[in-house]
Amino acid sequence: MKTEKPKKKIAVIGSGFSGLSAAAYAAKSGNEVHVFEKHSGPGGRARQFTTPQGYVFDMGPSWYWMPDIIENFFMDFGYKTNDFFTLVSLDPQFEMIFPDEKMRVPQKNIDIRQLFENVEKGAGNRYDKFMESAKFKYEIGMQQFIDKPCHSWIEFVSPKIAASALKLNLLTNFRSYVARYFTDPRLRALMEFPVIFLGASPKSIPAMYSLMNYGGYALGTWYPMGGFYQLVLAMQKIAEDQGVIFHFNKTVQKINTEGARARSLIIDDEEYEFDAVIASSDYHHTETLLPKHLRNYNKKYWQSRTFAPSCLIYYLGIKGKVPDLKHHTLFFENDLDDHIECIYENKKWPRNPLFYCCSPSQTDPGVAPENCENLFLLMPLATGINDEEELREKYLVEMLLRIEKHTGAKNLISRIEYKRSYCVSDFMSDYNAYQGNAYGLANTLSQTAVLKPKIINTKIRNLFYTGQLTVPGPGVPPSIISGKIAAAEVNNLKVKKNEKII
């Protein structure tokens, strides 16, 4: 007679994408799973809010890339994304604004190729070669690298990975790699843009991450009607279908340990016992819930890490339409390296900033009142800097003036019907984000794979970490995969009732 595995009682701290994913996969294996979230609903950085005027704002992610990776999550539970929401393929995918012109990236890869050829003779063929290599990296990365727990480099020892090593361009920086293919600075900017999501200068990111160009440009840029939050709600529904219980407005204050085991959580001054804990909360913050001698990393370690930027965000409701504005617009009229220097070297507000504007009301009329626009403005910033309201407002005015110049719109400041800013201190207070970072650790070579913070506590064997500060890294698809990895680790954990691990 087959003996059933004992069911574990598992706590998940936080309900961002990694927490939702971890909870769903852990419950699918028959465990009793409880998710504790400090906010009133799920989503973490991907929360959504509605204003009295009728604007619907996604608070965080807005680029729906790598649709196949997201689809894989749903398929693991017998669903498809279109069982929950409608995905629209954006055309153009986005627009990039340069000092004297603009470039629109078409929906179809063949048209992107033609765009490159029109700008630089011969660049069409070089684009094909670049994307062929990027596709190879994407397929190897998604099949051989991304789902590993990264306890040891031994996990990456296989004939297939060894045979692919040279083609992955691990030791070449992304900027040099792009320069091999394209001369025109506008084309280089278009190709360098995707790695900004990885939180570092193209000079510091391995060329392996050209896989992002394939995951974005070749596979397309999408939008879930109703907003990015539809993905959060769909993942919550799947988790609940597996039996996951969500507890909102619950703040985890402490992780109690006994020997080498996390025994219980203190949540709003009450104690709850569990067999295992998965922390989807900020990694550094989670460790502050433990005694110092039981933490994986000390203060000096975190200070030595290269973090992805924080950012200044504005959620704006604008009366009247804004002509000639696309769903995604990148304002690159100024020098990228100058802005990056302010983030990583000088740690100050940028002199000549770049910024990003998302206007989902161009695609989805449901996110703004009739004849109005929903604008989400984002400007990358250094972590840990001062962000008082006066500084925020100064940059808001600059961003709106540049939108006016690009679109021909008039008096946007006077047409603001709703305004909310979000910056470094808000990331700290809402998400306990280390120094107010928005995107976790930068994916530099020295912070890749095994060199990232460990997914398991090395001193407490039933405490696991998931999310953008551990493997595989920042971004929505990687966070979903991170949750799956953490759940697999918990499912393999052998725990006996009343066990006292020495």
Side-chain angles (χ1 to χ4, degrees):
M1 184 176 181
K2 192 173 180 181
T3 306
E4 281 191 21
K5 274 184 166 182
K7 181 189 285 189
K8 303 181 191 83
K9 186 176 181 182
I10 299 169
V12 177
I13 306 173
S15 64
F17 285 116
S18 64
L20 291 168
S21 173
Y25 283 110
K28 183 184 178 186
S29 295
N31 299 302
E32 178 186 338
V33 180
H34 295 260
V35 177
F36 296 93
E37 168 58 55
K38 68 179 285 190
H39 295 108
S40 59
R45 284 169 165 80
R47 290 178 296 149
Q48 189 180 77
F49 70 94
T50 302
T51 75
Q53 299 90 342
Y55 294 97
V56 180
F57 291 101
D58 283 322
M59 293 189 69
S62 58
W63 290 81
Y64 197 107
W65 274 4
M66 300 185 182
D68 55 327
I69 304 301
I70 297 174
E71 194 71 48
N72 286 343
F73 170 84
F74 289 88
M75 291 173 63
D76 282 346
F77 296 90
Y79 293 101
K80 296 180 180 178
T81 50
N82 63 18
D83 292 325
F84 297 92
F85 51 81
T86 300
L87 276 177
V88 175
S89 179
L90 299 183
D91 189 14
Q93 296 190 35
F94 63 90
E95 185 169 58
M96 186 173 275
I97 310 302
F98 295 108
D100 301 312
E101 64 181 310
K102 57 191 176 186
M103 282 183 147
R104 293 176 179 174
V105 174
Q107 177 188 47
K108 295 179 181 177
N109 201 45
I110 191 170
D111 294 328
I112 301 176
R113 180 197 187 282
Q114 189 59 50
L115 168 68
F116 273 63
E117 183 63 28
N118 292 343
V119 172
E120 179 180 313
K121 188 174 181 180
N125 286 334
R126 293 193 295 275
Y127 176 82
D128 288 341
K129 291 177 182 177
F130 184 100
M131 294 304 281
E132 182 182 350
S133 177
K135 180 180 180 181
F136 173 82
K137 295 184 183 84
Y138 187 86
E139 291 174 347
I140 290 295
M142 297 304 116
Q143 294 170 15
Q144 301 290 320
F145 283 89
I146 202 166
D147 62 351
K148 298 192 181 300
C150 295
H151 300 310
S152 165
W153 289 113
I154 294 172
E155 296 169 30
F156 298 92
V157 177
S158 76
K160 190 168 185 179
I161 291 177
S164 307
L166 287 176
K167 294 182 181 180
L168 294 175
N169 302 111
L170 286 166
L171 301 179
T172 304
N173 75 67
F174 195 81
R175 171 154 294 170
S176 298
Y177 183 75
V178 170
R180 293 179 190 174
Y181 289 86
F182 310 108
T183 302
D184 191 283
R186 295 163 297 177
L187 297 185
R188 288 184 179 182
L190 279 172
M191 298 311 273
E192 287 182 357
F193 153 66
V195 303
I196 294 174
F197 284 108
L198 302 175
S201 165
K203 293 184 288 187
S204 303
I205 295 287
M208 179 185 75
Y209 287 106
S210 62
L211 63 86
M212 292 286 290
N213 298 86
Y214 180 80
Y217 299 177
L219 298 184
T221 302
W222 303 77
Y223 172 79
M225 294 298 287
F228 217 99
Y229 196 61
Q230 297 306 310
L231 176 57
V232 172
L233 295 177
M235 292 180 68
Q236 180 191 13
K237 178 65 167 60
I238 285 175
E240 288 176 332
D241 285 349
Q242 310 308 307
V244 175
I245 301 168
F246 286 84
H247 307 269
F248 297 112
N249 299 305
K250 296 291 182 181
T251 300
V252 178
Q253 299 160 302
K254 184 180 178 184
I255 301 173
N256 287 329
T257 61
E258 186 176 323
R261 177 175 177 259
R263 180 175 54 81
S264 64
L265 299 180
I266 301 298
I267 303 169
D268 294 332
D269 299 322
E270 294 188 26
E271 184 174 11
Y272 300 84
E273 291 193 355
F274 294 95
D275 296 313
V277 176
I278 302 174
S280 173
S281 45
D282 177 90
Y283 198 124
H284 171 268
H285 170 72
T286 302
E287 297 243 284
T288 67
L289 306 179
L290 294 165
K292 286 184 179 180
H293 70 282
L294 293 177
R295 299 173 187 174
N296 272 352
Y297 305 102
N298 58 25
K299 182 178 179 180
K300 187 176 179 181
Y301 171 85
W302 292 110
Q303 290 174 339
S304 70
R305 299 299 89 188
T306 300
F307 276 83
S310 185
C311 53
L312 167 63
I313 297 172
Y314 267 96
Y315 310 99
L316 301 175
I318 303 289
K319 291 181 180 178
K321 303 302 286 183
V322 179
D324 203 32
L325 188 64
K326 301 306 174 188
H327 191 116
H328 296 300
T329 309
L330 300 162
F331 286 81
F332 271 53
E333 310 102 306
N334 298 323
D335 185 68
L336 172 62
D337 288 340
D338 185 49
H339 191 141
I340 287 173
E341 183 180 307
C342 292
I343 294 173
Y344 292 107
E345 296 178 30
N346 300 328
K347 290 277 186 179
K348 64 181 184 181
W349 286 75
R351 295 176 292 266
N352 301 298
L354 284 65
F355 74 97
Y356 156 62
C357 174
C358 178
S359 181
S361 49
Q362 305 298 325
T363 303
D364 187 351
V367 300
E370 188 176 357
N371 199 38
C372 295
E373 298 286 24
N374 174 319
L375 299 188
F376 169 99
L377 308 184
L378 184 151
M379 187 180 79
L381 281 178
T383 57
I385 62 173
N386 185 32
D387 68 344
E388 70 264 18
E389 198 61 36
E390 185 179 350
L391 267 173
R392 300 185 190 194
E393 287 287 317
K394 171 191 169 187
Y395 284 90
L396 170 63
V397 171
E398 176 173 345
M399 288 188 284
L400 288 178
L401 288 175
R402 284 162 66 180
I403 292 173
E404 288 180 358
K405 181 180 178 182
H406 164 56
T407 63
K410 304 293 184 185
N411 305 315
L412 288 179
I413 294 172
S414 65
R415 290 163 52 188
I416 295 174
E417 185 176 25
Y418 177 85
K419 177 176 69 175
R420 176 182 176 183
S421 66
Y422 203 92
C423 203
V424 178
S425 58
D426 300 296
F427 282 100
M428 290 179 181
S429 60
D430 277 1
Y431 309 122
N432 302 301
Y434 184 78
Q435 294 190 343
N437 80 84
Y439 306 106
L441 286 175
N443 265 0
T444 58
L445 188 58
S446 63
Q447 295 180 166
T448 295
V450 175
L451 302 176
K452 286 187 181 294
K454 300 295 183 188
I455 205 163
I456 184 170
N457 187 292
T458 57
K459 299 156 190 172
I460 305 170
R461 75 179 187 90
N462 63 337
L463 172 59
F464 303 84
Y465 306 87
T466 186
Q468 61 183 10
L469 283 172
T470 185
V471 294
V476 174
S479 290
I480 292 172
I481 292 169
S482 183
K484 184 176 183 179
I485 295 169
E489 293 291 302
V490 173
N491 290 337
N492 291 330
L493 178 69
K494 292 181 172 59
V495 174
K496 298 174 184 176
K497 283 294 178 184
N498 303 317
E499 175 185 27
K500 190 170 183 178
I501 306 168
I502 303 301

